[in-house]
Structures are given as C-alpha cells and as structure tokens.
C-alpha cells in the first residue's frame, strides 16, 4: 500500500511540474560561476560538504509546509533514513548564526513533498557504490521537490543535503535550485581506536550519525590492541573476559549488530580491525602461550631504542611458530566476518618490533637453528597462513603500510597480490603513498602529518626526563624514540593538526594520473592514548568535516585555487549546526567573528 501511495504522489508531482513548464533536467551551473564567494552563505544556503554543482540563478525561498512529507520507495535502510530525516527537518528549525538576506517568495506555495526515486534499490553498501544524486526544488506551483539517485545510498546523501537547506522558524527552503552531486573519492572514513580507552555504544552511535551528516561512508573500527580486547567473540569469550577492562567495557554481538545496522541506515560501512600479529598483548590473558613478550616492560632500562619490546607501553606479538596461534586467529577471523558483513577486513600488520619476537625462546631457537632465517620470514609465515583464509571468506584484506614498507620486518609483495590487497598509509606523508600505488596497490591515505587527530597533546609517558632538560639536549635522532624530540611538545606526530592543515592536504599529491586512480580515499584517525568519551567530539569535529569536504568535492574552487579562506565561514556555520544536532564540536573562532563578517580575516597572507 505504501508503495502505491508513493508512486501516486510522484506521478502527481511530475504532472504538475510538466504543466508548469518545469523539467527535472534543468541547466546546471558549477558552484561559484554565477555567485561571488560567500554569496550563497549570505542568502542562507550552506551545505557541508560543498556540493560538486549547484544552480540557483534567482535566490528565492519558500516556506516548508507544516505537513511536509517525503515519498520514497520501500527499502530496509533507506526507509528508516527517510523517517529520521523527516522528523529532523520538521523539528530542527535551525537559526543560522548570520541572518540570511533572503525573502520568502510570494509566488511559490509552501513545499509539500520531496519525492525520491531510486534506480537501483538492490545495490549493497560497499566498495565503490554509486552515491550520486540530483536534487531539484523548482520555483513553480507544484509544491514538490525531487531527489533522484542511482542507489539508496545516494538518496541518503541527497537527503542530508536537503536537510541542510532547510532553516528558520517557520522553516524555509530555497526554490529554483538544482544540485548535482557525487563524491570525488569512494572511500571517506574515520578510524577510532576503542582499545586504549573504551567508548560506550552511544558514543559510537553519535559518531556514525555525525559521519553521515558529513557524507563520510566508512567507520574503521580499530577494536582491539595490546591494551584491551573489548570485543566479545562467541568462539573465544575469554579473549574479552580476560582481555577487556571489565565486563562493563565490552562490545557484545548484539552491540555490534546494532552498530552495523545503524551504519547501514546512515550509509556508513563498519569495517572491523583486530590488529595482529603485533599489538596483541591483550590476547595473553586468555592464551599466554601464543603471545611473545607479553606483560614485559616496553623499553628496558639502559637499552637503546632499537632494543625496545614495543613502540609504546603495552607489549605483545602473536607467535607465528606456535600452531595454536593459527587455531585461535582463524576462529577470531571467522567470528568477526560473521559479525561484520562489510567486504573489507582490516588485518592490521603494523609496527612489528624485533625485540618482542626475539625475546621468545621459540623464536630464539628458530633463528639459531636456521642461520639464514630472518624475522621477515616469520611475518611471511603468519601472512601465508592468514591472508588466504581471509580471502576464502570473500573479504578484501586491508593492512597498514608497514607490512610492505617497514625497514626491518616486512613481507615480499608476492605474499600480498595487489588485486586482493589494500594498503593504508600513515607514515612519511605522500612519499609512502607513492611507494604503494607505484607498486600497483590500492591505497587508503591516513598520513599522520595531516590526518592524525590525536597529535599535539604531548605524550602519555610518565617519569619522562625529556621535560627536565635544557633545549640543547632535546634534539633526537633516528635511533631515538619518536617522542624524544620535544620540539613538537613531546608528541611524536605533533604539532596539533588544525582544520586548515587537514583541509589543505591533497591525498594524490605527487602522483601520476594512473597512480592517483589507485588512491581510493582517505581516513582521519583518532588513536586513544589520550582520548576517551569526554573529548571524543571535540577531537573529531569539525576537523573531520574538513577532510570530508576535500574527499567529497575537493579543496579548490572552479579556477583551481585552494578555497580554505572561504571555507572558514561555511565551516563555522556548519560547526554550529552540528552542535545544534548534539555533536559537541570544538569552536573555530570567537562568536564575535561571525557577528562581524570579515573582521577576523587577514589581508596579509604571506606574513
């Protein structure tokens, strides 16, 4: 019955539009061609991330009918999204910080309906899914707007755009407007570490909701690490019961199911990461026999940095020589694949520290009995047992770049065929991205120089003498721990990554056209050594919004010039709207700057 009602409404809207001389295929004008910078915001039109193409030749608005409705085809995830957006649109009544200079048209009736059409309702949310949409709000007498999308996921993006176009009390909406939109990059993500500090489900829910509002589509969930194992797995419940911070700091299968479903209803994929073979000290509570150097002090006194057992407190690597390791690991992978339907499986593979493996008697014996043996061969042994198993479960394996680029322990590329492997970059900026794609691998960019949102808050080590030394003694070198150099405030990846730093980064910088095609997108990362629910929103937003726009529509205007200057006013407005939606995003400027447009700018860009 609902499907017939939807079809009748759509037909009526189209008939009225045709009789009024309006067609859905109206002329498109690239954003900025017709309007000077900031004029859309002046008129009350602010959408973040900025759409690829907007046509609004005669800025006008009409009222939104109190009985406004959204007609849509039935879909298990789009239908809940429609209900959610409808409620938000009718209840939000957002008042922009800068009062729009836009009058309500006397010739346009209130907007009664937004009619959604979707060409392919069966397309799953996954790698490379079509998220394009066209939104038309005509200035005629139909009282109808139109949202066309190839898939349900594109329709969700269009709904978010429409929700941001509605403002005021009573609610207003622009008319005579057409948006044609699609993302530049297919993978636009956020990585959150829930091992070092625990985040309740409601924090993950709020984060995924905010991601969807920013048109991000991948929640990379770094669930476990050496510090805790909060995921309750059916086959090995002791991993969580003995490896988590406590029974109240675990994620049950029902928790995961609710988070995955929430993600689908918001157009956000949930990609799990259980990092191994390094970063597995938390496994030792349940299975001490398969973890090397567990519960040992991370950097023994009077030893060199190269002789450490871990790169930060929290030791433990899985032992590739123990057959029990593979029994447990394969059970874990199978459970995780069952819990998470996404086609990506993030298998970690980063920061294998030689000292941890060398501290194990079995490894010592292996090396002494095989003079030509290397620790890289141990990693290859582990990958050769786990990578094919991940493939057999119809998953694409994602690894951190270290598995191929680490200077000390890495696998030969033959163990990881590019067709079935994606590598995530985090070190050495665009140089490592270049190394990966030039070898034929697809890349996800998470450069710590630009996208690590935990940086710039010092370090979490206690009894650190670097803070009690004269400046001349605070100079590190390549053999020192990353945090040794205090020029960055004690943070190895300092300084703090401002939103401008995030916004300015071009993730395909220095790549050829063919190489750039292998960059599927990027992710900001929030590691949680110094983050927990009390600071989550402020650490993520609105800096993550900056990346969201660059990966959706770029960071340049139609002339090719970087647009970070004009982005400030728009991002400021978007930050306040996110706050009104319950996201505690940090401020960008004093409120005075918004109330006095232009007075907080500078005309000295080279000082």
């Amino acid at each position: 019955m609902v499907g017939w009602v939807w079809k009748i409404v759509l037909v009526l809207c189209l008939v009225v539009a045709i009789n009024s001389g309006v067609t859905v295929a109206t002329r498109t004008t690239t954003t900025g061609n017709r309007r000077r910078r900031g004029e859309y915001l002046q008129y009350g039109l602010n959408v973040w991330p900025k759409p690829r193409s907007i046509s609004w030749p005669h800025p006008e608005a009409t009222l939104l009918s109190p009985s406004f409705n959204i007609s849509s085809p039935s879909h298990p995830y789009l239908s809940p999204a429609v209900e959610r957006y409808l409620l938000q649109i009718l209840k939000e009544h957002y008042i922009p910080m800068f009062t729009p200079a836009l009058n309500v048209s006397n010739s346009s009736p209130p907007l009664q309906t937004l009619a959604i059409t979707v060409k392919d309702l069966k397309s799953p949310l996954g790698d490379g899914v079509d998220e394009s949409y066209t939104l038309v709000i005509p200035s005629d007498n139909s009282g109808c707007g139109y949202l066309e999308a190839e898939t349900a996921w594109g329709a969700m993006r269009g709904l978010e755009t429409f929700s941001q176009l509605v403002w005021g009390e009573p609610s207003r909406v622009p008319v005579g407007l057409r948006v044609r939109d699609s993302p530049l990059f297919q993978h636009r993500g956020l990585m959150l570490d829930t091992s070092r500090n625990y985040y309740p489900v409601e924090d993950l829910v709020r984060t995924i909701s905010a991601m969807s509002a920013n048109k991000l589509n991948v929640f990379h969930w770094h669930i476990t690490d050496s510090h805790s194992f909060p995921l309750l797995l059916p086959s090995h419940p002791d991993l969580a019961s003995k490896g988590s911070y406590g029974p109240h700091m675990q994620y049950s299968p029902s928790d995961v199911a609710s988070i995955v479903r929430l993600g689908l209803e918001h157009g956000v994929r949930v990609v799990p990461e259980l990092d191994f073979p390094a970063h597995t000290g938390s496994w030792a509570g349940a299975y001490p026999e398969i973890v090397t150097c567990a519960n040992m002090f991370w950097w023994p006194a009077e030893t060199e940095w190269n002789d450490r057992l871990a790169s930060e407190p929290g030791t433990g690597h899985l032992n590739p020589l123990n057959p029990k390791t593979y029994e447990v690991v394969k059970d874990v992978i199978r459970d995780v694949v069952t819990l998470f339907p996404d086609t990506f499986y993030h298998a970690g593979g980063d920061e294998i520290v030689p000292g941890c493996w060398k501290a194990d008697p079995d490894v010592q014996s292996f090396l002494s009995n095989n003079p030509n043996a290397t620790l890289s061969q141990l990693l290859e042994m582990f990958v050769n047992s786990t990578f094919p198993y991940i493939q057999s479960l119809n998953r694409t394996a994602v690894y951190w770049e270290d598995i191929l680029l680490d200077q000390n322990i890495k696998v030969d590329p033959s163990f990881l065929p590019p067709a079935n492997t994606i590598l995530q970059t985090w070190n050495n900026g665009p140089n490592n991205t270049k190394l990966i794609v030039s070898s034929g691998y697809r890349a996800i960019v998470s450069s710590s120089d630009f996208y690590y949102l935990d940086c710039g808050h010092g370090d979490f080590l206690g009894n650190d003498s670097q803070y009690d030394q004269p400046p001349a003694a605070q100079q590190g070198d390549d053999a020192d721990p990353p945090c040794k150099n205090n020029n960055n405030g004690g943070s190895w990846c300092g300084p703090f990554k401002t939103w401008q730093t995030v916004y300015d980064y071009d993730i395909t910088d220095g790549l050829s056209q063919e190489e750039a095609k292998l960059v599927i997108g990027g992710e900001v990362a929030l590691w949680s050594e110094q983050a927990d629910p009390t600071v989550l929103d402020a650490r993520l937003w609105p800096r993550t919004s900056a990346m969201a726009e660059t990966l959706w529509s770029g960071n340049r205007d139609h002339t090719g010039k970087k647009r970070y200057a004009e982005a400030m006013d728009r991002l400021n407005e978007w930050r306040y709207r996110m706050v009104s939606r319950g996201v505690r995003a940090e401020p960008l400027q004093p409120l005075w700057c918004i109330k006095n447009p232009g007075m907080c700018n500078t005309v000295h860009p080279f000082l």
Side-chain angles (χ1 to χ4, degrees):
M1 186 67 179
V2 174
W4 282 108
V5 171
W6 165 73
K7 292 177 182 178
I8 292 172
V9 170
L10 179 60
V11 169
L12 290 176
C13 286
L14 289 173
V15 168
V16 174
I18 292 171
N19 290 338
S20 302
V22 176
T23 63
V24 173
T26 56
R27 181 167 50 90
T28 300
T29 302
T30 301
T31 303
N33 284 351
R34 285 180 170 269
R35 303 282 165 203
R36 66 180 182 273
R37 188 180 68 190
E39 189 168 351
Y40 284 131
L41 183 61
Q42 170 189 345
Y43 283 120
L45 183 61
N46 183 46
V47 177
W48 194 280
K50 197 168 191 175
R52 300 280 293 279
S53 174
I54 295 179
S55 174
W56 198 29
H58 305 291
E60 293 181 325
T62 191
L63 293 175
L64 191 76
S65 171
S67 58
F68 173 78
N69 188 42
I70 300 175
S71 63
S72 171
S74 179
H75 185 274
Y77 306 116
L78 178 59
S79 296
V82 167
E83 293 179 9
R84 183 179 71 251
Y85 275 110
L86 180 60
L87 181 63
Q88 177 176 283
I89 290 165
L90 292 175
K91 300 293 186 181
E92 187 173 29
H93 298 300
Y94 177 71
I95 305 297
M97 301 306 296
F98 186 74
T99 304
L102 186 64
N103 295 322
V104 174
S105 171
N106 293 322
S107 60
S108 296
L111 189 67
Q112 299 281 352
T113 299
L114 178 68
I116 299 176
T117 57
V118 177
K119 292 184 179 179
D120 181 5
L121 284 170
K122 296 182 179 180
S123 179
L125 179 63
D127 182 36
V129 68
D130 192 323
E131 297 174 273
S132 64
Y133 68 91
T134 299
L135 174 66
V136 178
I137 310 176
S139 54
D140 59 19
N141 295 320
S142 68
C144 291
Y146 314 93
L147 174 57
E148 296 180 344
E150 290 292 327
T151 68
W153 322 108
M156 290 184 191
R157 307 300 173 224
L159 280 169
E160 177 58 41
T161 294
F162 181 83
S163 77
Q164 294 183 32
L165 292 172
V166 180
W167 83 95
E169 176 71 60
S171 294
R172 301 167 176 83
V173 64
V175 293
L177 174 141
R178 185 175 195 257
V179 178
R180 293 187 63 184
D181 209 5
S182 61
L184 287 173
F185 291 93
Q186 67 190 48
H187 189 109
R188 307 175 308 281
L190 181 160
M191 190 229 74
L192 180 64
D193 161 26
T194 63
S195 171
R196 291 173 174 89
N197 277 311
Y198 175 81
Y199 296 82
V201 171
E202 57 263 31
D203 292 294
L204 306 187
V205 166
R206 188 176 66 259
T207 298
I208 291 173
S209 177
M211 289 177 61
S212 178
N214 284 270
K215 295 188 174 70
L216 296 174
N217 66 352
V218 179
F219 177 55
H220 171 179
W221 189 356
H222 183 93
I223 308 174
T224 68
D225 212 288
S226 278
H227 306 86
S228 76
F229 196 109
L231 181 62
L232 184 60
L233 296 175
S235 66
H236 294 281
D238 280 355
L239 284 169
S241 64
K242 297 181 178 180
S244 69
Y245 289 130
H248 60 296
M249 293 188 179
Q250 296 176 8
Y251 302 106
S252 68
S254 62
D255 290 333
V256 172
S258 65
I259 291 168
V260 167
R261 180 166 184 86
L262 177 97
L264 290 168
E265 291 177 356
H266 286 74
V268 176
R269 301 162 56 194
V270 181
V271 175
E273 180 190 356
L274 277 70
D275 201 355
F276 51 56
H279 293 278
T280 51
S282 59
W283 298 48
Y287 300 104
E289 69 273 22
I290 70 171
V291 183
T292 65
C293 85
N295 301 313
M296 298 176 68
F297 192 75
W298 71 289
W299 187 12
E302 310 303 327
T303 61
E304 298 294 328
W305 175 247
N306 287 337
D307 295 324
R308 71 197 184 279
L309 301 182
S311 293
E312 68 176 26
T315 58
H317 290 13
L318 295 181
N319 188 346
L321 297 174
N322 191 331
K324 177 72 172 179
T325 297
Y326 302 104
E327 295 177 19
V328 176
V329 167
K330 289 182 178 180
D331 287 344
V332 167
I333 293 172
R334 186 181 64 251
D335 278 358
V336 172
V337 166
T338 301
L339 290 170
F340 295 88
D342 196 84
T343 57
F344 282 10
Y345 183 98
H346 204 302
D350 62 317
E351 293 190 316
I352 297 174
V353 177
C356 186
W357 270 347
K358 287 181 177 180
D360 184 79
D362 290 341
V363 175
Q364 292 173 8
S365 178
F366 171 79
L367 294 175
S368 62
N369 293 332
N370 301 277
N372 296 323
T374 66
L375 295 180
S376 289
Q377 289 175 332
L378 285 184
L379 179 58
E380 289 176 345
M381 185 185 305
F382 183 85
V383 169
N384 198 40
S385 295
T386 55
F387 176 75
Y389 186 66
I390 294 171
Q391 279 191 295
S392 73
L393 298 173
N394 298 316
R395 294 296 185 269
T396 298
V398 185
Y399 293 94
W400 292 103
E401 61 179 29
D402 312 45
I403 202 161
L404 283 186
L405 301 184
D406 188 87
Q407 292 182 352
N408 298 309
I409 304 176
K410 59 187 174 183
V411 304
D412 186 276
S414 62
F415 286 86
L416 296 173
N420 306 106
T421 309
I422 297 173
L423 296 179
Q424 187 161 3
T425 71
W426 66 274
N427 214 352
N428 204 23
N431 296 321
N432 280 9
T433 304
K434 177 80 170 180
L435 289 173
I436 288 170
V437 297
S438 63
S439 299
Y441 290 93
R442 288 171 289 169
I444 299 168
V445 177
S446 293
S447 172
S448 59
D449 293 336
F450 300 92
Y451 283 176
Y452 270 30
L453 303 185
D454 54 298
C455 300
H457 294 275
D459 198 76
F460 72 103
L461 300 179
N463 191 32
D464 191 347
S465 60
Q466 70 168 311
Y467 296 104
D468 191 28
Q469 297 179 18
Q474 295 178 2
Q475 300 301 316
D477 55 45
D478 290 341
D480 288 330
C483 59
K484 184 73 176 291
N485 189 339
N486 202 34
N487 292 336
N488 287 333
S491 172
W492 75 267
C493 59
F496 180 87
K497 313 306 176 192
T498 66
W499 79 263
Q500 293 95 334
T501 298
V502 175
Y503 195 85
D504 194 55
Y505 187 42
D506 294 317
I507 64 174
T508 58
D509 184 46
L511 305 181
S512 68
Q513 287 187 356
E514 289 304 310
E515 290 171 339
K517 292 178 182 178
L518 293 174
V519 177
I520 65 173
E523 292 179 2
V524 293
L526 182 62
W527 301 99
S528 293
E529 287 90 344
Q530 295 173 296
D532 69 7
T534 64
V535 300
L536 175 62
D537 289 11
R539 293 282 167 87
L540 291 179
W541 312 105
R543 291 186 294 162
T544 300
S545 301
M547 185 202 70
E549 178 158 294
T550 64
L551 298 187
W552 182 271
S553 57
N555 58 9
R556 300 175 185 270
D557 63 20
H558 67 282
T559 68
K561 182 180 178 180
K562 289 284 184 73
R563 64 188 186 198
Y564 59 86
E566 68 88 22
M568 170 63 89
D569 290 341
R570 294 188 299 105
L571 184 56
N572 229 343
E573 186 67 62
W574 175 231
R575 179 262 170 182
Y576 277 98
R577 190 156 195 162
M578 282 197 292
V579 170
S580 75
R581 293 181 176 184
V583 178
R584 299 179 68 83
E586 68 179 0
L588 299 177
Q589 289 182 321
L591 185 57
W592 183 87
C593 297
I594 300 177
K595 298 298 184 182
N596 295 270
M599 294 295 284
C600 290
N601 294 338
T602 175
V603 292
H604 307 286
F606 303 109
L607 291 182

